Amino acid sequence: GRHYTIMPGRLSFAIFPDEASMQAQSRAFPHLIFFTSREQSTYHGYCSDFGPSDISSVVSFCVRSRKMMEGTAHEDKMLVHASTLNEAANTNAAFLLGAYLVLIEGWTPEEAAAPFAR
């Protein structure tokens, strides 16, 4: 898989070959908190398009992610936003993470995109 450090020591994005690999990593590294955006990524396209279903999905992901980042249960752990090898799902997951960085963390769009350019 691929790994992108977003906020060193605090937040990263990882792409795993499959769900089993993601679960195995979660068990192997209990100091990491793995989370997905599956529920926010459900989208019924009109043609061959894909994307987060609506603005409420984006807001929901941002609120959930902020709670995880600010929560005392996770304050000393690295949060890993995880996805599997599916181009549409990876694009949507990266978009949602970028939206969180811009809307909640106050990053510029360029700053939010930079970790994925590496």
Side-chain angles (χ1 to χ4, degrees), residues 16-47:
F16 295 95
D18 52 42
E19 191 77 28
S21 298
M22 185 181 351
Q23 291 174 0
Q25 289 294 306
S26 180
R27 287 188 298 276
F29 298 98
H31 62 285
L32 303 176
I33 303 295
F34 290 82
F35 70 105
T36 68
S37 55
R38 273 188 227 107
E39 59 276 357
Q40 283 84 24
S41 294
T42 303
Y43 179 77
H44 304 287
Y46 297 104
C47 188

Side-chain angles (χ1 to χ4, degrees), residues 77-95:
K77 298 186 177 187
M78 169 77 94
L79 300 175
V80 181
H81 184 208
S83 186
T84 57
L85 286 176
N86 173 297
E87 188 175 338
N90 292 340
T91 301
N92 291 336
F95 166 78

Side-chain angles (χ1 to χ4, degrees), residues 2-116:
R2 289 173 280 178
H3 180 264
Y4 303 88
T5 299
I6 308 299
M7 300 170 80
R10 194 68 186 112
L11 180 64
S12 66
F13 178 63
I15 299 170
F16 295 95
D18 52 42
E19 191 77 28
S21 298
M22 185 181 351
Q23 291 174 0
Q25 289 294 306
S26 180
R27 287 188 298 276
F29 298 98
H31 62 285
L32 303 176
I33 303 295
F34 290 82
F35 70 105
T36 68
S37 55
R38 273 188 227 107
E39 59 276 357
Q40 283 84 24
S41 294
T42 303
Y43 179 77
H44 304 287
Y46 297 104
C47 188
S48 62
D49 60 326
F50 58 89
S53 59
D54 53 41
I55 193 70
S56 69
S57 296
V58 175
V59 171
S60 175
F61 177 82
C62 289
V63 168
R64 188 178 118 211
S65 298
R66 184 185 69 212
K67 286 180 182 177
M68 290 179 69
M69 290 289 285
E70 294 175 353
T72 56
H74 305 305
E75 65 187 351
D76 61 341
K77 298 186 177 187
M78 169 77 94
L79 300 175
V80 181
H81 184 208
S83 186
T84 57
L85 286 176
N86 173 297
E87 188 175 338
N90 292 340
T91 301
N92 291 336
F95 166 78
L96 288 167
L97 189 54
Y100 165 79
L101 294 170
V102 171
L103 297 173
I104 304 299
E105 296 292 338
W107 291 23
T108 66
E110 293 79 15
E111 289 170 329
F116 300 100

